[in-house]
Amino acid sequence: MKKFLLICLAAAALFLAGNYIYYQTEWYLPLRQGEPEVFVKTEGKEILLRSEDTWSSIDIRGVNVGSGMPSGFATEYKITYEMYMRWFKLIQEMEANVIRVYTIQGEDFYHALYDYNKDNPDPLYLIHGVWVDDYAMRSHLDAYSDEMRGELLKDVRVVSDVIHGRKKIPYTEKYAYGTFKWDISPYVLGYIIGVEWESDLVLYTDDKKAEITGYDGKYICTSEDATPFECMLAEVGDELLRYETGKYNEQRLVAFSNWPETDPLEHATWKIHQTSNLAHLDVEHIIFKENVLSGTFASYHVYPYYPLFYEFEERYSQYIDDEGRNNPYRRYLMDLNEHHSVPVVIAEFGIPSSRGLARFDEARGFNQGNTDEKQQGEELQELYKDIRKAGCVGGIVFEWQDEWFKRTWNTWPGVDLTRNVFWSDFQTNEQSFGLLTFDPGEEESICYVDDSVADWEQVEPLLAADGCSLSLQYDEKFVYFRIHDDAGVEGKKYYIPLDITPNSGALSEEETGLLFQYPADFLITIDGKDNSAVTVQEYYDMVYANFRRDIWNNEDAFLNQPEKDSSVFHTIYQYLRGPIEIAEGVKTEPQIFDTGKLNHGNANPESEDFYSIADFYIQEKDIEIRLPWLLLNFSDPSEMKIHDDYYVHYGVENLKIDEIHVGLQSADENEVHDAGMETFAMKGWDEDPTWHERLKKSYTYMQEIYREYSEEG
């Protein structure tokens, strides 16, 4: 019996030791012999894929898959196995052949991809990213610090073990943790190391480490023109190839992330007063040796509305494509492709279908926001055509799903970023790049602004007078209003004053002479399909308070603040950019966007006339309106938090409310009819939002263009 117990203990100890070595260490015996296994490689400007003994060219028709979903930040990895299995099917039905992830995902991702592909004769391939810590990139550190170079050297080994199903990761804040036991390596085309590099980091590293003039490793070396930053990347790529070749006797493509701010080209007139035009990263200086049987490609994130040299450099701004259109984007892609001797993959391109806007595309109007879903799809088709006609081997659209945790520089001052995953912010363009969205409601939204008022049957009017009434309701994305007028709405104007904050507001409106029962902070004006808007009382104007000096070149708003009860109401703007110095002493005007202007249309996804950024719809006796929360200065509607007094707090602080006051006035040729103002109770949903998935109209457009190129291939 004693001997049996000893044998059992020894067996258990061996099992635990083996499990530890197998899943939790990087140790291996270098016993594998012969050439490494390779099923994907590059030749010239092509990527080749092996099928049995035949190599054939593959074009990249991809989609980036993020980590976020409603009520979950990206680092929580809350997407489930079932969701991934459903998504992979939809992605492949879209004719995509590649997905890309940016960092190590949760266990469910690898489990689902393994199960989806294992019996699939036409697998969905993966390009796996190796992430860089935000602090390391945006702090005092250079790229050779332990926090960056050291972590990258470790992380490439971790990612390699993960895709081979041989890694157990303890809790970490860097990426997902757990036991990764699914070998998905047969479906992994390669890796993209890094992110959109900060130009300051590249310049700082090249200056501080100027003594580093080259790197010569087992698989990768650098040319004599390589910069210190490029040498660091070469070392990281070399370590990935060394580790995967030695441990698994396999090789796959290894690439390095890049974008226009650090591209290898010269842009003489782009932001000459900033560092963006000075930092360069050129993977042509990173040389893969003959013992690399797989290869590399040049990876870029390229969008049509950024960077600004599209607009200011004649090479781009004056370029006419083969269809006779002004097309700076195509010319830039051509320049990138012509510069490189290896295949070029546009690893990110995209258009957000948000209501809010961040940048204009001056040439074609392919803007960063304020774009309908149908328009999003049409523009994505054109961008993919540009990518292929420029000679690139393909592109990976950004992105598969909308992500509520995302932020944008021109809206984040007004948002509680610790809680933005609990509501859908239609003003923040970064949340709306997806081909799949999450609409409020478990199966459908509580209200659709369209040609029916059936959504309002169970909603009692908040106020009514003289045959005219106003009703309200809200969900995780919008506040909805219904105006009903027994006499019909044609030829009339309607005004809805809103008292949001108890700390300020106007009892009158200067331009119209309207009087209000409660001090109003916003005024909704419905004046036909083309002249309707929301305006904000100047004291409660976030852009005026926080960006006034940058936009209008006025003195600081905090030194010359408006009156709390001012009767002046402002156009609601989004700040897009400040003055740009394009030549010595020559600056452009700042750009702003009228986001208070209301769009008329049918906002029901089931309608043939669906217009996804519609704000209101006029019927014979009814008007339906929907307004995004941030437009009304809600920083966190899940807890009903609004912007507090900017001039007391010198910026945006939160104030919790439990009610607002809402009014209705109508005006015809003869007089104004005032139905008064009433109190409307506001209660949030805390951390339990409702949502359901919906494929955007843009999905079918990507399906069409990917199918077109799939059939050509």
Side-chain angles (χ1 to χ4, degrees), residues 235-246:
E235 181 183 6
V236 173
D238 187 58
E239 175 62 12
L240 175 53
L241 284 163
R242 181 202 67 79
Y243 186 74
E244 188 160 39
T245 305

Side-chain angles (χ1 to χ4, degrees), residues 35-50 55 188-191 219-220 237-238 240-242 244-245 249-255 288-297 342-343:
E35 286 190 345
E37 183 72 15
V38 174
F39 76 93
V40 59
K41 66 179 181 179
T42 59
E43 283 187 4
K45 304 280 279 189
E46 289 187 309
I47 297 177
L48 303 178
L49 195 63
R50 191 187 69 199
W55 292 90
V188 179
L189 295 181
Y191 308 95
Y219 295 96
I220 294 178
D238 187 58
L240 175 53
L241 284 163
R242 181 202 67 79
E244 188 160 39
T245 305
N249 201 37
E250 293 180 8
Q251 290 180 0
R252 43 193 39 82
L253 307 180
V254 176
F288 286 65
K289 296 184 176 181
E290 292 184 358
N291 56 356
V292 179
L293 305 183
S294 53
T296 185
F297 58 89
V342 296

Side-chain angles (χ1 to χ4, degrees), residues 124-405:
L124 187 60
Y125 290 102
L126 172 68
I127 294 177
H128 206 299
V130 183
W131 193 251
V132 173
D133 177 70
D134 283 348
Y135 174 77
M137 192 166 64
R138 294 179 172 87
S139 67
H140 64 289
L141 301 169
D142 64 74
Y144 282 86
S145 66
D146 289 340
E147 290 87 344
M148 179 167 287
R149 171 180 167 274
E151 289 299 301
L152 277 173
L153 290 170
K154 181 181 76 172
D155 287 348
V156 293
R157 300 191 293 266
V158 173
V159 171
S160 178
D161 284 340
V162 164
I163 71 141
H164 286 278
R166 286 188 55 178
K167 195 64 181 176
K168 184 176 288 185
I169 302 175
Y171 174 79
T172 173
E173 294 182 351
K174 286 177 57 179
Y175 35 65
Y177 59 94
T179 300
F180 301 88
K181 56 186 178 183
W182 298 278
D183 182 4
I184 62 165
S185 60
Y187 320 116
V188 179
L189 295 181
Y191 308 95
I192 297 178
I193 297 171
V195 293
E196 295 176 346
W197 304 106
E198 290 289 328
S199 54
D200 289 348
L201 169 70
V202 176
L203 291 171
Y204 180 54
T205 300
D206 290 345
D207 181 64
K208 187 177 180 183
K209 299 293 183 180
E211 72 278 5
I212 299 175
T213 57
Y215 174 80
D216 189 6
K218 184 174 182 179
Y219 295 96
I220 294 178
C221 62
T222 57
S223 72
E224 61 183 12
D225 298 318
T227 65
F229 192 88
E230 292 161 354
C231 293
M232 184 277 295
L233 290 180
E235 181 183 6
V236 173
D238 187 58
E239 175 62 12
L240 175 53
L241 284 163
R242 181 202 67 79
Y243 186 74
E244 188 160 39
T245 305
K247 187 170 183 176
Y248 300 105
N249 201 37
E250 293 180 8
Q251 290 180 0
R252 43 193 39 82
L253 307 180
V254 176
F256 306 94
S257 186
N258 206 350
W259 68 315
E261 285 213 8
T262 53
D263 74 20
L265 308 177
E266 295 294 332
H267 307 291
T269 61
W270 177 33
K271 291 187 181 179
I272 64 171
H273 65 302
Q274 294 189 7
T275 59
S276 305
N277 192 36
L278 303 176
H280 297 293
L281 166 58
D282 191 348
V283 295
E284 292 294 311
H285 299 157
I286 300 175
I287 300 169
F288 286 65
K289 296 184 176 181
E290 292 184 358
N291 56 356
V292 179
L293 305 183
S294 53
T296 185
F297 58 89
S299 171
Y300 288 92
H301 298 177
V302 188
Y303 293 84
Y305 39 74
Y306 184 81
L308 295 173
F309 57 69
Y310 292 156
E311 182 180 345
F312 298 132
E313 297 214 358
E314 287 190 8
R315 177 174 181 79
Y316 303 111
S317 65
Q318 302 301 313
Y319 177 73
I320 305 299
D321 65 20
D322 56 358
E323 296 181 30
R325 302 170 304 179
N326 181 211
N327 194 342
Y329 186 75
R330 173 91 63 85
R331 177 69 261 178
Y332 178 61
L333 295 175
M334 291 167 63
D335 284 354
L336 288 178
N337 186 58
E338 290 166 6
H339 176 83
H340 287 291
S341 60
V342 296
V344 176
V345 175
I346 305 307
E348 275 190 23
F349 69 99
I351 298 288
S353 63
S354 60
R355 185 186 187 279
L357 180 72
R359 290 189 179 95
F360 285 120
D361 168 20
E362 299 290 346
R364 290 189 288 180
F366 289 14
N367 299 330
Q368 189 177 1
N370 198 239
T371 303
D372 169 61
E373 290 177 15
K374 178 177 180 290
Q375 182 184 355
Q376 177 194 29
E378 292 170 341
E379 292 174 3
L380 288 175
Q381 282 190 343
E382 291 302 313
L383 294 181
Y384 191 72
K385 288 179 185 177
D386 287 335
I387 289 167
R388 299 303 301 274
K389 288 185 177 182
C392 305
V393 295
I396 307 175
V397 66
F398 183 80
E399 62 182 325
W400 172 245
Q401 81 275 25
D402 284 350
E403 296 186 288
W404 289 9
F405 78 89

Side-chain angles (χ1 to χ4, degrees), residues 515-558:
L515 302 176
F516 311 125
Q517 183 179 343
Y518 289 92
D521 306 296
F522 293 91
L523 182 63
I524 305 169
T525 301
I526 303 298
D527 182 14
K529 296 179 180 180
D530 300 319
N531 299 303
S532 297
V534 184
T535 52
V536 60
Q537 193 250 3
E538 67 171 337
Y539 191 84
Y540 205 43
D541 184 344
M542 190 198 77
V543 171
Y544 191 67
N546 293 282
F547 298 109
R548 178 169 146 193
R549 182 169 54 185
D550 297 329
I551 298 173
W552 293 285
N553 199 28
N554 289 346
E555 64 182 1
D556 196 310
F558 299 107

